[in-house]
């Protein structure tokens, strides 16, 4: 039997406490202990990106992270990307507008990867967009609509802030 450990961390802006087995993955904690099922289990071995979350702003495969490693850190899941009033963010809405999902299984990880990119590089190039989602597999879309969604989001965000974009909003 694995040792149980108490941890405290900030999840989507809210301080959460949990008691978790020392060998539990962060992915299992998020889904099965804390009930946030937006983050998906795909391969379980760091290959598909379906389980991607932000830890202190960086993309992490939560299937490869122990839950106890969240202690003292900031974790953002796809549930934390919406606007404070619960409406979809510009990025989420852009995925809808460009039909960037079919089965949607990869979408939470894609959104997290895209959010991390736009946080770091608000007006990326297409090469930077493709590089940012390089660790996320999609079986359905052929990726083009996902790239288009991130371009569209960047253009919409530039329009909001009055800055230059590499892309036109659709
Ligand atoms: S489930 Fe974590 S990378 Fe595939
Ligand atoms: S939309 Fe089905 S895996 Fe990407």
């Amino acid at each position: 039997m694995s040792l149980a450990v108490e941890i405290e961390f900030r999840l989507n802006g809210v301080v959460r406490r949990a008691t978790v087995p020392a060998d539990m993955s962060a992915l299992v904690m998020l889904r099965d202990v804390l009930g946030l099922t937006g983050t998906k289990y795909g391969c379980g071995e760091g290959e598909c990106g379906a389980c991607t979350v932000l830890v202190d702003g960086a993309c992490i495969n939560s299937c490869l992270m122990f839950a106890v490693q969240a202690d003292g850190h900031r974790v953002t899941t796809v549930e934390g990307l919406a606007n404070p009033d619960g409406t979809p963010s510009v990025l989420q809405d852009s995925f809808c507008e460009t039909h960037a999902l079919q089965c949607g299984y990869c979408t939470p990880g894609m959104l997290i990867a895209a959010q991390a990119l736009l946080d770091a590089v608000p007006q990326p190039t297409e090469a930077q967009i493709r590089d940012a989602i390089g660790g996320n597999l999609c079986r359905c879309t052929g990726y083009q609509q996902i790239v288009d969604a991130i371009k569209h989001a960047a253009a919409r965000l530039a329009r909001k802030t009055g800055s230059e974009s590499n892309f036109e909003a659709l």
Side-chain angles (χ1 to χ4, degrees), residues 103-124:
C103 79
Y105 205 83
C106 71
T107 308
M110 288 288 185
L111 284 166
I112 291 285
Q115 185 68 54
L117 172 66
L118 294 176
D119 288 344
V121 186
Q123 294 306 320

Side-chain angles (χ1 to χ4, degrees), residues 27 40-51 61-64:
L27 175 59
K40 297 295 183 257
Y41 184 102
C43 63
E45 49 191 38
E47 297 292 339
C48 74
C51 65
N61 288 333
S62 61
C63 68
L64 298 184

